[in-house]
Amino acid sequence: MARICLSLLANTLSENQRILSESSCSFAELRIDYLEPSEWSGIPQFAKDFSGDLILTCRKVCDGGLWPDDQDAKREELLLSALQGGFSFVDLEENFESSKLVAAAKSQNTKIIRSFHDFQTVPADLESRLRAMKQKGDLVKAAVMPQGMADVITLFEIGMNWTDRNAADESSLILLGMGDYGVPTRILAERMNSYLTFCSAKGKSAAPGHMNYQTLHELYRVDQIEKDWDIFAIIGNPVLHTRSPEIHNKGLQNIGRKGVYVPFTVDDVPLYFDLARKLSIQGFSVTVPHKEAVIEHLVKVDDGVKAVGACNTVLYRDGAWEGVNTDIIGFLRPLENLGEIKKHPQGLKGFRTAVLGAGGAARSAVYALVSKKCDVTIFNRTLEKAESLASEMGCQVGSLKALRKGNEKPFDIIVQTTSAGMEGPYEKMNPLDTYSYEGSEVVYDIIYIPEETLFMKDALQAGCSVLGGWPMLVEQGRAQFLLFTGEELPA
Ligand code: ATR
């Protein structure tokens, strides 16, 4: 089990005290390089008053801290006086030679963490360097910057091979990857044999990729994960914006399952599959841009994956990977559950439906609608793409320009699958801004960030029945959860 250590980064001790009491964290690192000089004299008392474990750290600018690089003597002096408070650990960088500090730490029963930071890369000699550092400290720490899946694998391999433990069978290693690629190394600190993982107070990050205590403790349960926990994942690039970890981790917790669902930013799908085997990942969700690329790694796929050519769910079954597409059912369920559709005896059959867009997301939606015998017309900025999708799925094509001007017969359902309206540069766009609604349409935007797009706002104002992408995300996740765990996602 790994601990969660809260980095205290305020410039006053009283603010740090407030942050500590808010988080209920019993393991912290006091970054005295952040403190105002007027606070220095209060450091020993701060340490005495704290009932948990405290790391004393004074990080220099060259190592990612605030302490001036040219004031080593003053730093040594400050650390020596601070140590009198009785810290559990003191962090001394790999190359910080001070016999006085080492002696003072020993006399206070303070364990020495030897550390180094690399904000650019994962050094090729990382493992041998850590082993060398171990000669000079009780624990060794490396915080490095993985540049992709290959580096993430290196980190997990070093961690999983680390066998050096103290008398209490605790690992002597603290190893973590910074940045987006490093996130799984922070959450799966236990698998990394990492003694602890760091977090920040809400809104205050000490290093790229730092998550806050609530996220690590409540959502990912990092300080409860044991060797026998199941690991599930989501892969994508980018992936950290997705809300799937909320759905799955809360679900796992609510059914009392020892399991965690971890986001992996993936730049190389084959390498990810190697890591997934090493970590015994039981199943994972797949998001943009990897829904097609995973397919060649699967021994079996369901009809949805075959028809759409995209797979959002991968399961490890009988020693091999299998693929399922739950985007289709995820798209259909919210629609079929609407009162307007439910009251129709034949469900979606025969509804005149316009689909905006002809990309990957449109493929699932069109396939789902056609499978329910909807009367589907595709509208897309690039007509040829609409034509190609329509001929493949057996439906019609319309002119987006004509639809926008209101020169098309009214539709019962309008589905929006383009990127227009999505958080970021497209957020202010509405692909049907000039459309005049009857008010009786069902309008469905599969975007879920923001929760309400301009397209949805317009349709709501016109009195339409409006669906956003969040219910779809929940429903595709619900179907995945059942496949991952064999149990229903609790309400
Ligand atoms: P996804 O997998 O999310 O569907 P995609 O395959 O890249 O992503 O498809 C994006 C869709 O959004 C396409 O239909 C695209 O239209 P084009 O085929 O003409 O590129 C559509 N799209 C993207 N930006 C758009 C915009 N600003 N206005 C209208 N349609 C847009």
Side-chain angles (χ1 to χ4, degrees):
M1 203 167 66
R3 297 147 189 82
I4 302 175
C5 176
L6 176 64
S7 290
L8 297 171
L9 305 171
N11 56 9
T12 64
L13 292 166
S14 56
E15 177 61 5
N16 280 329
Q17 197 62 60
R18 194 193 60 73
I19 291 166
L20 263 180
S21 52
E22 244 179 26
S23 78
S24 76
C25 193
S26 61
F27 204 120
E29 175 190 45
L30 182 63
R31 288 284 300 270
I32 62 174
D33 50 313
Y34 275 73
L35 290 176
E36 300 284 350
S38 57
E39 298 285 311
W40 292 349
S41 59
I43 298 171
Q45 193 57 45
F46 182 90
K48 280 183 191 142
D49 292 344
F50 184 57
S51 58
D53 284 307
L54 201 55
I55 304 176
L56 172 64
T57 302
C58 187
R59 192 78 70 224
K60 295 197 324 188
V61 171
C62 61
D63 291 312
L66 297 185
W67 188 269
D69 287 339
D70 58 356
Q71 294 184 19
D72 281 348
K74 203 164 158 194
R75 183 163 79 122
E76 184 184 45
E77 196 185 313
L78 179 60
L79 282 166
L80 279 168
S81 95
L83 269 178
Q84 291 166 16
F87 284 80
S88 302
F89 303 89
V90 60
D91 181 312
L92 304 178
E93 291 78 13
E94 179 187 25
N95 51 5
F96 189 175
E97 302 298 346
S98 165
S99 51
K100 277 193 211 160
L101 270 172
V102 170
K106 286 217 168 101
S107 73
Q108 291 280 347
N109 238 351
T110 301
K111 290 192 177 123
I112 295 174
I113 302 173
R114 285 289 175 178
S115 68
F116 88 87
H117 300 78
D118 187 328
F119 290 90
Q120 306 300 326
T121 61
V122 173
D125 61 351
L126 176 61
E127 188 165 9
S128 55
R129 218 161 140 181
L130 284 165
R131 298 222 177 263
M133 281 157 63
K134 186 67 196 48
Q135 308 303 315
K136 298 199 288 185
D138 300 291
L139 287 100
V140 288
K141 170 191 167 185
V144 293
M145 186 66 85
Q147 297 294 328
M149 220 50 246
D151 286 342
V152 175
I153 291 180
T154 301
L155 292 179
F156 272 103
E157 281 176 342
I158 293 173
M160 289 162 95
N161 290 335
W162 193 268
T163 51
D164 194 315
R165 290 179 172 269
N166 66 17
D169 197 29
E170 287 165 335
S171 175
S172 59
L173 179 68
I174 300 170
L175 179 59
L176 49 102
M178 296 184 279
D180 289 1
Y181 288 110
V183 164
T185 69
R186 294 179 183 274
I187 297 172
L188 297 173
E190 185 277 335
R191 284 292 192 285
M192 299 271 296
N193 270 314
S194 193
Y195 182 80
L196 57 78
T197 193
F198 288 94
C199 70
S200 339
K202 267 186 184 156
K204 291 197 170 195
S205 176
H210 250 210
M211 283 169 277
N212 67 47
Y213 179 69
Q214 282 72 18
T215 304
L216 288 181
H217 173 67
E218 287 166 22
L219 185 65
Y220 291 107
R221 297 186 288 170
V222 167
D223 45 354
Q224 291 180 46
I225 298 174
E226 297 275 11
K227 291 259 175 294
D228 61 344
W229 279 42
D230 287 330
I231 304 177
F232 303 99
I234 176 165
I235 68 164
N237 196 356
V239 75
L240 299 180
H241 64 285
T242 80
R243 291 175 67 181
S244 296
E246 277 174 53
I247 298 172
H248 286 276
N249 283 310
K250 284 180 186 162
L252 289 165
Q253 203 161 347
N254 287 340
I255 64 166
R257 181 75 169 258
K258 290 177 173 180
V260 60
Y261 178 95
V262 185
F264 283 79
T265 304
V266 169
D267 62 333
D268 183 314
V269 170
L271 283 181
Y272 166 76
F273 272 94
D274 289 348
L275 181 61
R277 273 187 187 272
K278 280 195 176 79
L279 293 174
S280 304
I281 288 178
Q282 298 294 301
F284 58 92
S285 315
V286 186
T287 188
V288 178
H290 300 315
K291 288 186 184 185
E292 292 85 29
V294 292
I295 295 175
E296 65 177 278
H297 299 269
L298 310 175
V299 293
K300 208 166 124 187
V301 293
D302 75 348
D303 289 344
V305 173
K306 278 184 204 149
V308 176
C311 173
N312 77 322
T313 312
V314 176
L315 307 163
Y316 194 64
R317 296 271 190 272
D318 304 322
W321 301 104
E322 296 180 6
V324 177
N325 188 318
T326 71
D327 280 336
I328 297 161
I329 190 150
F331 170 80
L332 282 174
R333 269 191 191 150
L335 200 52
E336 289 180 320
N337 284 339
L338 278 181
E340 290 87 334
I341 313 290
K342 257 188 173 165
K343 70 181 181 209
H344 200 252
Q346 291 180 299
L348 285 162
K349 187 174 175 187
F351 276 91
R352 267 180 57 76
T353 305
V355 174
L356 311 183
R363 285 184 75 80
S364 282
V366 172
Y367 173 78
L369 293 163
V370 170
S371 73
K372 293 290 171 180
K373 307 218 166 3
C374 267
D375 175 9
V376 178
T377 307
I378 303 174
F379 297 89
N380 192 45
R381 188 175 59 179
T382 313
L383 185 64
E384 302 81 65
K385 275 190 170 156
E387 283 170 344
S388 153
L389 182 60
S391 82
E392 197 184 330
M393 299 284 177
C395 53
Q396 293 93 254
V397 182
S399 149
L400 186 57
K401 266 190 194 147
L403 181 70
R404 280 168 52 80
K405 283 187 188 153
N407 295 340
E408 283 274 349
K409 241 175 81 187
F411 284 91
D412 306 312
I413 303 173
I414 304 175
V415 179
Q416 197 309 103
T417 76
T418 77
S419 328
M422 217 176 258
E423 186 191 41
Y426 299 129
E427 194 161 341
K428 295 272 171 283
M429 289 181 182
N430 172 0
L432 280 195
D433 53 353
T434 53
Y435 191 76
S436 70
Y437 293 94
E438 306 265 304
S440 57
E441 298 90 341
V442 168
V443 168
Y444 191 176
D445 195 335
I446 67 163
I447 290 172
Y448 71 94
I449 305 177
E451 281 189 32
E452 197 175 273
T453 59
L454 289 180
F455 168 68
M456 288 163 70
K457 274 194 185 112
D458 253 19
L460 267 174
Q461 266 172 12
C464 301
S465 185
V466 175
L467 272 174
W470 177 242
M472 172 176 163
L473 184 78
V474 173
E475 290 306 328
Q476 64 80 33
R478 186 188 304 285
Q480 284 182 336
F481 191 84
L482 183 61
L483 291 164
F484 289 159
T485 65
E487 291 188 45
E488 290 290 345
L489 182 73

